[in-house]
């Protein structure tokens, strides 16, 4: 059983989150992002935190609960800090070299 949907989303300073007509609209310093989200969940925003709750424990609501929480959390990260990729090589037998932007 996943508990992803139960964790509140921290809204970083300079980021605004609005839920309108099955869309989550997140605006921040790096831009704006709109995402279609399934209907049927409840949203509460207070003290820089967004919590998502489900009205009942039906299978559809349980699956959408974690999905919507993850989508909105990713939107907040995307418009505030942007996306990064990192590669960590651990172990013996790997040979890697960086030349400019090429690995």
């Amino acid at each position: 059983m996943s508990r992803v949907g139960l964790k509140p989303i921290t809204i970083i300073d300079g980021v605004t989150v609005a839920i309108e007509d099955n869309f989550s609209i997140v605006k921040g310093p790096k831009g704006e992002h709109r995402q279609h989200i399934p209907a049927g969940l409840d949203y509460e925003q207070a003290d820089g935190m967004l919590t998502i709750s489900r009205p009942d424990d039906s299978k559809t609501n349980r699956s959408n609960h974690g999905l919507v929480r993850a989508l909105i959390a990713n939107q907040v990260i995307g418009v505030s800090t942007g996306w990064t990729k990192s590669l960590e090589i651990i172990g013996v037998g790997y040979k890697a070299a960086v030349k400019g932007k090429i690995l």
Side-chain angles (χ1 to χ4, degrees):
M1 171 196 274
S2 176
R3 290 179 173 73
V4 172
L6 300 176
K7 295 176 13 180
I9 301 169
T10 303
I11 300 173
I12 303 166
D13 291 336
V15 175
T16 60
V17 178
I19 309 294
E20 300 173 356
D21 300 329
N22 295 340
F23 281 93
S24 63
I25 304 162
V26 181
K27 297 178 184 177
K30 294 203 178 257
E32 175 182 344
H33 190 268
R34 291 176 59 96
Q35 175 71 43
H36 181 269
I37 55 175
L41 298 174
D42 301 321
Y43 307 93
E44 182 180 334
Q45 187 173 354
D47 299 329
M49 304 292 267
L50 176 68
T51 55
I52 302 167
S53 59
R54 57 183 185 241
D56 57 20
D57 282 337
S58 69
K59 185 173 182 175
T60 304
N61 283 339
R62 283 185 293 142
S63 62
N64 288 341
H65 190 205
L67 170 72
V68 169
R69 191 261 176 215
L71 289 173
I72 295 174
N74 287 340
Q75 285 179 289
V76 170
I77 292 169
V79 299
S80 61
T81 59
W83 300 103
T84 59
K85 286 186 182 181
S86 62
L87 175 65
E88 186 174 339
I89 299 175
I90 300 174
V92 179
Y94 298 103
K95 182 176 180 181
V98 178
K99 294 180 182 176
K101 291 186 177 182
I102 300 171
L103 177 65

